[in-house]
Amino acid sequence: MKKDNVTILGGGLCGSLLSIMLARRGMKVTLLERQPDPRKGDAAGGRSINLVVSARGIRALEHAGIFEQIEPLLVPMAGRCIHDEDGATELHAYGQKESEVIHSVSRCCLNRAQLDCAETSHNVTIRFDQEAVSYYPEESTLRVRDHVKGHDYDIKARPLIATDGAGSIVRRAFADTDTLFGTEDLLGHSYKELAIPVNADGEFQMDPDALHIWPRGGFMLIALPNPGGDFTLTLFFPG
Ligand SMILES: Cc1cc2nc3c(=O)[nH]c(=O)nc-3n(C[C@H](O)[C@H](O)[C@H](O)COP(=O)(O)OP(=O)(O)OC[C@H]3O[C@@H](n4cnc5c(N)ncnc54)[C@H](O)[C@@H]3O)c2cc1C
């Protein structure tokens, strides 16, 4: 096994961060991602959402040496602001000290920044539009569909690190073996991205220091601030 070449499947949050960490250790990393390059155009399709980054996430970014590039994307939130059905609000602080905050970040912007650091600063080879359609554990072989050229090809990927997300094709390939066990329980909820733009003066329309939540039984709406003065909302709903 050649230890200095590694293939990572999936260029999401974990795959792109891991690629940087391994490249910093001198490994030659190839990252395969089924989606087009998210740095070119709006690849998120209305499901880009905002994430909460806590101290643990920041530690990982620092460990990878990229926190400086990511920090401008973060908006600190000191508490959660609950909006009840009558329009009243209640603020619950996240920490006991003022410095104990969590951060809002656009998942798409974070992913773009991580991919950019991987490619430009760490020489990671990123191949977009490359979807793994099968994995053969015995042969350590991935069958990949090239969505640009429109054909399938096989690669020996050893070692292979699968960061292909919740529906991992690699994990599923081990389902009939004694090597790896896993269970998948799909959530009964879906989500949709919405937005509250800046007001006429270009400012936030609600308190930017909080994660806003409208809990409504099986439905929930949340709003997280962005550095530009707007909010990204996620509506969770059954189905
Ligand atoms: C609505 C919602 C809200 C969330 N909020 C938070 C939050 O506030 N804070 C937080 O920490 N986490 C949050 N999460 C979870 C967070 O998004 C995940 O933990 C994180 O994205 C997991 O990263 P990942 O790299 O494992 O998977 P993903 O980010 O899903 O990345 C997987 C990548 O692999 C690619 N891929 C998949 N299959 C293939 C294939 N066959 N071939 C090639 N490429 C493939 C995908 O295109 C994708 O780019 C939230 C998730 C959701 C859905």
Side-chain angles (χ1 to χ4, degrees), residues 10 51 58 65 71 106 118-119 124 158 190 225:
L51 298 179
I58 288 176
E71 198 173 8
S106 148
E119 198 169 49
V124 172
R158 200 172 178 205
S190 301

Side-chain angles (χ1 to χ4, degrees), residues 49-80:
I49 69 167
N50 272 39
L51 298 179
V52 170
V53 178
S54 63
R56 191 171 53 151
I58 288 176
R59 210 159 45 243
L61 295 167
E62 286 172 342
H63 190 64
I66 59 168
F67 183 60
E68 257 179 45
Q69 288 97 309
I70 305 295
E71 198 173 8
L73 306 175
L74 306 182
V75 180
M77 300 178 294
R80 77 173 69 86

Side-chain angles (χ1 to χ4, degrees), residues 10 12-14 33-35 49 51-52 107 130 132 163-164 236:
L13 298 182
C14 293
E33 168 56 47
R34 72 177 166 194
Q35 299 289 346
I49 69 167
L51 298 179
V52 170
R107 175 158 73 169
Q130 307 298 310
T163 53
D164 50 340
F236 298 87

